[in-house]
Amino acid sequence: MKHFFLLLILILICLTSNAQKFEDNYLGKDFLLYKGAFFKLKEDASVDGFSYAFYSDLKYCQSSYDNNVIYPTKEYYFNTAKDSLLNRVFIVENIIDANGNTLENSSSKEPIFILKDSISKQLIYYKYDIDSEYDFCFNTSKITYDEHVFCTKLERAVDDFTGEIKISSPLMISGNLSPIMIYKYLKKGKPPLYYLSLRTSGSTLNVNEKGVIVLFEDGTKWNKQQTEINVEATSNGYMYSAFISLNATDLITFTTKKIKKIRLYIYDGSVVPSDADKFRLFVKCVKTSK
């Protein structure tokens, strides 16, 4: 009977983890939000993410480049074999520093995730890189965000000459330049003004073009075909951007719908699901901020 209940528990754990919807969720410096989430290896994960990253014991995490990685490949002793982690579901049991202390804030530059296999209960110590989305090799279950925490991340500036207040979502998100931002301008005696900023890259030059489309996860679209598109040269090509006035209805849309992709003229940009979730919270925060 004891073995039966044990088997039943294992089956329930398996069903629960397999029922999870996994998506691309790189959180950068907001890594503490991963605690308690499920991780599943991306099938197309870059091999670079397996270098000096996975260990069987915390003692091997004391230095930056310890060669005692778990499941090393035959070719490179410092790389964990990708196949050893495929089709396994892990839960982030804790997030610690190199000395084993639980991290209470995200100030650490070298967090270590204790990953527990949801079936075998094996513990694997994963050295998370807060600056490299490219090396993050997992998809994750849905992350629960604390709205209050994200409201503290808003950027606020006051014009010394006019007294006008500008409030916006962060310029950087998950360690990268944000493709979507919300702005609010407050001037004494006048109603607040809201603007949406969008940007995406392109390899060819087009000037004096128009047209913005925001595609949401539910398949609906937000069209602004008369919006002018700005362009500037970068070291990697061209950066296209748009700055669009928002009304009350638009604000409701962007707090209730999750952005999937944006199109500026003919140039498309995808939005990471976790960043889209954050943006909805930022819009809510900006609406209530003063």
Side-chain angles (χ1 to χ4, degrees), residues 77-229:
Y77 55 85
F78 51 82
N79 271 11
T80 293
K82 179 178 176 180
D83 290 348
S84 66
L85 304 178
L86 273 175
N87 302 316
R88 299 173 66 179
V89 175
F90 300 91
I91 186 170
V92 182
E93 187 173 71
N94 202 3
I95 301 176
I96 60 177
D97 61 19
N99 296 315
N101 301 310
T102 296
L103 293 176
E104 302 296 341
N105 59 65
S106 57
S107 60
S108 175
K109 294 184 178 180
E110 297 182 339
I112 299 167
F113 290 12
I114 302 180
L115 304 181
K116 178 186 282 189
D117 188 299
S118 59
I119 301 299
S120 69
K121 305 304 180 184
Q122 178 189 20
L123 296 182
I124 295 179
Y125 295 82
Y126 168 55
K127 299 179 75 173
Y128 173 77
D129 191 334
I130 65 172
D131 296 316
S132 180
E133 180 176 3
Y134 180 74
D135 288 340
F136 186 61
C137 52
F138 292 102
N139 284 325
T140 81
S141 58
K142 185 174 178 60
I143 304 297
T144 301
Y145 299 99
D146 186 331
E147 185 173 334
H148 173 72
V149 171
F150 277 86
C151 286
T152 65
K153 298 178 182 293
L154 294 180
E155 297 177 359
R156 188 178 187 273
V158 180
D159 189 304
D160 292 333
F161 294 95
T162 66
E164 184 179 59
I165 299 172
K166 181 180 72 174
I167 302 169
S168 70
S169 54
L171 179 64
M172 303 296 291
I173 189 167
S174 298
N176 298 303
L177 189 66
S178 178
I180 47 176
M181 291 182 65
I182 177 77
Y183 288 85
K184 180 180 185 179
Y185 291 86
L186 294 169
K187 198 166 186 178
K188 189 174 181 179
K190 294 186 177 181
L193 299 176
Y194 295 90
Y195 295 92
L196 176 69
S197 173
L198 303 173
R199 57 169 60 90
T200 189
S201 59
S203 58
T204 57
L205 176 62
N206 283 278
V207 296
N208 300 321
E209 300 295 349
K210 296 181 179 181
V212 167
I213 302 175
V214 175
L215 175 65
F216 298 105
E217 254 194 5
D218 63 4
T220 59
K221 300 173 184 176
W222 187 76
N223 288 275
K224 294 292 179 180
Q225 293 303 322
Q226 297 306 310
T227 298
E228 295 183 356
I229 306 300

Side-chain angles (χ1 to χ4, degrees), residues 7 30-31 137 248 285:
L7 179 61
D30 295 319
F31 58 82
C137 52
C285 292

